[in-house]
């Protein structure tokens, strides 16, 4: 007979804080981009449009390139490696704290605390932190080729300044969406891996799939809600939390 155990609580606070931290970096990057565009690039676009030869080799295009390099330089003061590391470390610590609290409550049923000795945890934390540092750094690395293409293609195709600026604003918004994706995806994935590892470390062989029970749950996961699976034979979707942007959790099943 399966015993009733406390729910596995998803780390919503950790996810929200992580998104705020990444969003702050992206917002600052966006502000710098638009400020340099308005102050330095916009006047050069006007000059470019006034010249019949287009200044292909020098003139306004060279100034525009230097302005883009200024944005890149300023971004280094935003995406500081130590700050990114601190953001990721805080995030992993918060997810780990929620996971440990869940496991400690659930393990009381069998009278143990499996979190007292976890030799696997240090390496898991280090690798997860490094992975997330890479994700955040990639946001900046992928941003500049996009805005360079928007500006140069817009100038050479004769687009209006407003049209070019609007595309930059749209790109900044897409980068914000990327930040949200990272926060949600990594929270679910890391939390799901921690939960599965800790359940199995304390001898749990089965889990019950539980969704977040809101309108954002994908249909493929709705049909899994409440079903019991063996950790050795999970459903095709994988373990709860590990699919992209999954907020589902695993509840341990203790069999007498």
């Amino acid at each position: 007979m399966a015993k009733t155990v406390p729910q596995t609580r998803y780390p919503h606070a950790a996810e929200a804080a992580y998104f705020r931290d990444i969003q702050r970096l992206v917002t600052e990057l966006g502000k710098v981009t638009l400020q340099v565009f308005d102050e330095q690039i916009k006047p050069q676009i006007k000059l470019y449009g006034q010249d019949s030869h287009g200044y292909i080799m020098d003139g306004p295009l060279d100034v525009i390139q230097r302005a883009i390099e200024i944005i890149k330089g300023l971004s280094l003061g935003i995406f500081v490696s130590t700050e990114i590391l601190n953001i990721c470390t805080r995030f992993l610590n918060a997810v780990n704290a929620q996971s440990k609290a869940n496991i400690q409550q659930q393990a009381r049923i069998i009278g143990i605390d499996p979190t007292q000795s976890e030799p696997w945890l240090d390496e898991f934390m280090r690798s997860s932190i490094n992975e997330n540092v890479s994700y955040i750094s990639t946001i900046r690395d992928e941003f500049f080729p996009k805005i360079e293409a928007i500006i140069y293609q817009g100038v050479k195709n004769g687009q209006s300044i407003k049209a070019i600026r609007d595309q930059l604003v749209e790109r900044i918004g897409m980068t914000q969406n990327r930040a949200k994706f990272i926060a949600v995806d990594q929270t679910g994935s890391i939390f799901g891996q921690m939960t599965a590892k800790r359940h199995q470390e304390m001898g749990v062989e089965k889990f019950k799939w539980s969704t977040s029970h809101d309108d954002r749950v994908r249909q493929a996961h709705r049909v899994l809600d409440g079903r019991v699976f063996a950790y050795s034979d999970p459903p095709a979707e994988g373990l709860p939390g590990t699919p992209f942007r999954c907020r589902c959790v695993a509840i341990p099943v203790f069999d007498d």
Side-chain angles (χ1 to χ4, degrees), residues 10-23 91-92 95 132 135-136 139 175-193 212 214 216-218 221 239-249:
Y10 182 87
H12 291 287
E15 177 194 298
Y18 191 35
F19 173 55
R20 285 196 301 270
D21 282 339
I22 308 175
Q23 184 184 43
F91 166 60
L92 261 296
V95 173
N132 277 265
Y135 289 147
I136 296 177
I139 290 177
T175 306
Q176 293 279 17
N177 291 339
R178 174 63 180 165
K180 180 66 173 177
F181 176 87
I182 291 173
V184 176
D185 180 64
Q186 286 300 292
T187 302
S189 178
I190 292 170
F191 185 69
Q193 293 174 61
S212 56
D214 59 31
R216 291 187 291 161
V217 176
R218 71 198 74 175
H221 292 189
L239 296 174
T242 57
F244 287 124
R245 300 196 68 166
C246 177
R247 296 166 297 127
C248 300
V249 297

Side-chain angles (χ1 to χ4, degrees), residues 14 17-26 78-94 129 132-133 136:
Y18 191 35
F19 173 55
R20 285 196 301 270
D21 282 339
I22 308 175
Q23 184 184 43
R24 173 174 50 81
L25 301 182
V26 175
I78 299 171
F79 284 74
V80 181
S81 58
T82 53
E83 174 62 10
I84 295 174
L85 178 60
N86 289 337
I87 288 172
C88 295
T89 301
R90 285 197 301 270
F91 166 60
L92 261 296
N93 286 338
I129 288 171
N132 277 265
V133 166
I136 296 177

Side-chain angles (χ1 to χ4, degrees), residues 16 42 64 67 81 101 157 159 164 198 216 218 256:
K42 186 187 295 183
I64 290 172
S81 58
N157 293 336
Q159 293 181 332
I164 296 172
R198 283 171 164 149
R216 291 187 291 161
R218 71 198 74 175
D256 289 335

Side-chain angles (χ1 to χ4, degrees), residues 65-182:
Q65 180 60 51
R66 289 197 293 271
I68 293 174
E69 293 301 322
I70 289 173
I71 299 173
K72 291 181 180 180
L74 292 172
S75 74
L76 295 175
I78 299 171
F79 284 74
V80 181
S81 58
T82 53
E83 174 62 10
I84 295 174
L85 178 60
N86 289 337
I87 288 172
C88 295
T89 301
R90 285 197 301 270
F91 166 60
L92 261 296
N93 286 338
V95 173
N96 181 47
Q98 180 65 62
S99 173
K100 287 182 69 173
N102 286 333
I103 296 301
Q104 288 168 347
Q105 291 178 0
Q106 293 167 347
R108 287 184 186 139
I109 288 180
I110 54 177
I112 65 171
D113 182 0
T115 67
Q116 289 185 340
S117 177
E118 298 182 307
W120 59 270
L121 183 60
D122 285 346
E123 179 57 33
F124 180 87
M125 293 286 283
R126 277 195 300 269
S127 63
S128 298
I129 288 171
N130 290 337
E131 187 175 3
N132 277 265
V133 166
S134 176
Y135 289 147
I136 296 177
S137 300
T138 300
I139 290 177
R140 175 189 174 275
D141 296 339
E142 293 179 346
F143 181 74
F144 289 108
K146 301 294 185 182
I147 67 165
E148 283 186 280
I150 289 171
I151 294 171
Y152 281 121
Q153 290 176 13
V155 171
K156 292 180 178 180
N157 293 336
Q159 293 181 332
S160 68
I161 291 173
K162 181 181 184 305
I164 296 172
R165 195 182 195 280
D166 287 347
Q167 290 180 60
L168 292 176
V169 171
E170 182 180 3
R171 171 50 55 183
I172 293 167
M174 293 173 68
T175 306
Q176 293 279 17
N177 291 339
R178 174 63 180 165
K180 180 66 173 177
F181 176 87
I182 291 173

